[in-house]
Amino acid sequence: IDSGKTTLTERVLFYTGRIKEIHEVRGKDGVGAKMDSMELEREKGITIASAATYCSWKSMGVDHHMNLIDTPGHVDFTIEVERSLRVLDGAVMICCGVGGVQSQTVTVDRQMKRYEVPRIVFINKMDRYGADPFHVLGQIKQKLGLNVKPIQLPIGEEDNFAGVCDVITRKAHYYEGDNGMTKRVDEVPAALVERVDTLRAELFETLADLDD
């Protein structure tokens, strides 16, 4: 609940060019997020019904078409999540970097396992006070029984959060300018090189256990 599912979807639509400006959930401008189409959703600041859309993203010269379904987080509307999981090829499980695994996260995890939906975990709100992605990963392992490994390492914490290090490519990614529209790829900061190498080795060890 309130982990940022609709907010993330709004950013995906903006950066892929589907919408021209970003609006917040229950924003002060009275517009609200694009995926919250119901008046009650915009008034309460929560998602009530699942909403579907599509977008395209070009990466390494290849166009990727994505169909997105933004689902509710509140337990009262969990049937909407159930309906969506039946048709998904994969899911993004969003966890708050501060709140971590919540009771509804456990419920959604059970639903994903029931329908055998593969998922990646996106840890959100890394610029908030008290955000700790590795604590959240520990919760996911303990409470959900999932074998998770990070593929990105944050650069800086809380107010000093500046970007992420890609564990696989060993590159640092910074998003600068208005709404982070300018992407800069640089070398991993010296203070994080050893940490990135350790995480990379652990990731490969885990992958090797699953597939030689």
Side-chain angles (χ1 to χ4, degrees):
I1 301 172
D2 291 334
S3 59
K5 295 177 292 298
T6 302
T7 301
L8 175 63
T9 305
E10 185 86 354
R11 269 66 180 171
V12 170
L13 294 178
F14 176 74
Y15 292 124
T16 56
R18 284 279 286 149
I19 58 177
K20 300 304 179 187
E21 53 186 11
I22 295 174
H23 293 285
E24 301 298 334
V25 175
R26 198 161 49 178
K28 295 179 180 178
D29 57 8
V31 178
K34 181 66 69 176
M35 299 298 279
D36 285 343
S37 57
M38 296 169 57
E39 192 63 37
L40 188 60
E41 289 180 317
R42 300 186 180 200
E43 178 186 333
K44 299 295 184 182
I46 62 172
T47 301
I48 296 173
S50 295
T53 187
Y54 69 91
C55 60
S56 297
W57 181 255
K58 193 168 187 176
S59 176
M60 301 178 68
V62 180
D63 284 320
H64 301 277
H65 180 87
M66 295 180 288
N67 295 308
L68 298 178
I69 301 179
D70 178 29
T71 63
H74 201 281
V75 65
D76 290 349
F77 313 115
T78 191
I79 188 62
E80 289 287 325
V81 180
E82 190 93 11
R83 290 169 54 196
S84 300
L85 285 172
R86 294 176 181 177
V87 299
L88 293 179
D89 295 320
V92 180
M93 188 171 77
I94 301 174
C95 293
C96 173
V98 180
V101 174
Q102 304 173 15
S103 58
Q104 187 62 8
T105 313
V106 178
T107 301
V108 173
D109 175 65
R110 287 199 200 103
Q111 292 172 316
M112 288 182 180
K113 289 174 179 174
R114 185 184 310 137
Y115 292 104
E116 298 182 342
V117 177
R119 96 288 297 266
I120 60 174
V121 178
F122 182 85
I123 300 178
N124 205 7
K125 304 184 182 182
M126 288 302 302
D127 56 345
R128 296 281 182 90
Y129 178 76
D132 185 347
F134 291 96
H135 176 67
V136 178
L137 289 178
Q139 288 185 321
I140 292 171
K141 291 176 183 177
Q142 180 184 0
K143 297 183 179 182
L144 306 182
L146 298 176
N147 189 10
V148 287
K149 291 295 179 183
I151 58 174
Q152 291 181 334
L153 178 69
I155 302 172
E157 299 176 350
E158 300 169 358
D159 291 342
N160 297 318
F161 179 63
V164 294
C165 295
D166 189 315
V167 171
I168 299 173
T169 62
R170 290 180 177 148
K171 293 291 183 182
H173 296 257
Y174 302 91
Y175 299 89
E176 302 165 336
D178 293 339
N179 294 317
M181 289 295 290
T182 304
K183 179 181 177 181
R184 177 169 62 89
V185 180
D186 208 339
E187 297 300 318
V188 173
L192 296 176
V193 169
E194 185 177 348
R195 182 69 168 141
V196 168
D197 288 343
T198 301
L199 292 174
R200 194 169 188 268
E202 291 176 356
L203 175 63
F204 287 168
E205 286 176 10
T206 302
L207 291 173
D209 290 339
L210 298 172
D211 187 351
D212 291 335

